[in-house]
Amino acid sequence: MTTNTESSTETVSKPAGGPAPDANASAPAPATRSYRAVCFDLDGTLLPLDLDVFLQRYFSALGKVAVRSGADPSAFKAGMDAGVRAMATHDDGCPNDQAFWRHFFAEVDPGSCDWNAVFAAFYEGPFGEIGADVVPDPAAARVVETLRKKGYPLALTTMPMFPVEGVKWRLTWAGVDADAFARITAYDNSTATKPHAIYYAENLAALGVDGKDVLMVGNNTVEDLSFMQLGADAFLVTDYMLNPSGMDVNEVRHGTLAEFADWVETLPTCENPAVDVRRGLIAREESEAVLVKNERAVLRDGGVRR
């Protein structure tokens, strides 16, 4: 139920506005430490997806379903725009799905159809057809399986603007088992979106770990690498990299998904995994406390690690 899954920026294989990855650089150096959990972005990271094409298909398919159900096309579009904008910007601590519906129904007649049934039916069927021609990268399943065997708890920290059914469809397109993830962020268990620090703080709270204990794997230098502001380590996947900030990506560990899969082989076994990971909503007060704690830790330790 969203517009931007990870970003509406054009998907590219090199960064826009910043130095490109060094083509002559060797593969990432072998891992020298363990983590308590690994967090993954989805679109453009585990899932080889052209976001522009995906979003066009998504809105076309959802719009057709809505109109067939009796919605006014212009009102529906206005409602979707308002709802998505609300999810991306609200700061009232409510779940993203509540922010969406509140602003959606400011534009759309709630009684024009059974909206819950319309969206539920869409995600059960037509949504899955959008990615039917996606060819998964075998490195994605390899990465996940290797980390599972080494004992690492995994979290899918994807942009939380979809119901979980929509996220699980995209994992299916990626050839990755949704059950591999102890936590999957969706629009009903998240109160913020990327790149807001509070989004990552609530995931740290759900994992029960500090930022320094986490590896974040993603393809967007802003939305994903913002986790580093809370102390997380990072691996930037470059196959479908997005670099809206013009960051010099040679300053951070990076490589293709296949190179990341090779790098994961060098990780030691997880010695102190996160336990009792929570799948549901985290209270804003708890997330804010985690945010302050980890921001202070980064300042104390001398800033964000590269």
Side-chain angles (χ1 to χ4, degrees), residues 157-168:
T157 48
T158 183
M159 186 69 91
M161 290 184 173
F162 280 102
V164 70
E165 293 82 5
V167 181
K168 288 182 176 180

Side-chain angles (χ1 to χ4, degrees), residues 211-263:
K212 64 181 176 58
D213 299 320
V214 173
L215 174 68
M216 177 66 204
V217 185
N219 72 312
N220 190 307
T221 61
V222 172
E223 292 180 354
D224 301 321
L225 268 54
S226 62
F227 204 170
M228 298 176 74
Q229 300 298 327
L230 300 187
D233 203 357
F235 194 108
L236 179 66
V237 175
T238 56
D239 303 79
Y240 293 88
M241 184 171 63
L242 294 170
N243 189 7
S245 65
M247 171 186 173
D248 181 355
V249 301
N250 296 306
E251 295 180 0
V252 67
R253 187 187 296 113
H254 65 273
T256 65
L257 188 60
E259 288 174 327
F260 177 63
D262 292 338
W263 184 84

Side-chain angles (χ1 to χ4, degrees), residues 112-258:
S112 58
C113 66
D114 184 342
W115 286 104
N116 285 327
V118 167
F119 279 94
F122 174 72
Y123 284 107
E124 287 174 3
F127 184 91
E129 299 172 4
I130 295 172
D133 60 350
V134 173
V135 178
D137 185 336
R142 177 185 160 204
V143 162
V144 169
E145 186 58 28
T146 300
L147 288 169
R148 291 176 76 178
K149 288 181 178 178
K150 289 176 179 280
Y152 287 90
L154 307 181
L156 190 71
T157 48
T158 183
M159 186 69 91
M161 290 184 173
F162 280 102
V164 70
E165 293 82 5
V167 181
K168 288 182 176 180
W169 268 119
R170 283 148 52 219
L171 284 168
T172 298
W173 304 341
V176 174
D177 181 7
D179 291 336
F181 297 94
R183 177 175 174 81
I184 296 175
T185 57
Y187 76 160
D188 60 347
N189 72 349
S190 303
T191 68
T193 58
K194 301 179 186 183
H196 302 295
I198 194 69
Y199 166 76
Y200 285 111
E202 65 186 13
N203 281 286
L204 287 179
L207 290 164
V209 301
D210 293 330
K212 64 181 176 58
D213 299 320
V214 173
L215 174 68
M216 177 66 204
V217 185
N219 72 312
N220 190 307
T221 61
V222 172
E223 292 180 354
D224 301 321
L225 268 54
S226 62
F227 204 170
M228 298 176 74
Q229 300 298 327
L230 300 187
D233 203 357
F235 194 108
L236 179 66
V237 175
T238 56
D239 303 79
Y240 293 88
M241 184 171 63
L242 294 170
N243 189 7
S245 65
M247 171 186 173
D248 181 355
V249 301
N250 296 306
E251 295 180 0
V252 67
R253 187 187 296 113
H254 65 273
T256 65
L257 188 60

Side-chain angles (χ1 to χ4, degrees), residues 269-290:
T269 299
C270 185
E271 298 176 351
N272 184 23
V275 296
D276 299 325
V277 178
R278 289 177 283 174
R279 291 181 174 271
L281 196 66
I282 304 299
R284 177 52 70 99
E285 295 79 9
E286 183 178 358
S287 301
E288 289 176 342
V290 168

Side-chain angles (χ1 to χ4, degrees), residues 41-87:
D41 171 57
L42 179 53
D43 303 320
T45 301
L46 291 174
L47 179 61
L49 192 68
D50 184 315
L51 287 175
D52 286 341
V53 173
F54 167 72
L55 293 174
Q56 290 170 5
R57 293 179 179 179
Y58 170 75
F59 279 111
S60 175
L62 181 55
K64 289 176 181 177
V65 170
V67 170
R68 285 199 302 268
S69 300
D72 176 78
S74 59
F76 177 76
K77 182 180 183 305
M80 288 295 294
D81 289 344
V84 168
R85 187 163 51 250
M87 287 193 288

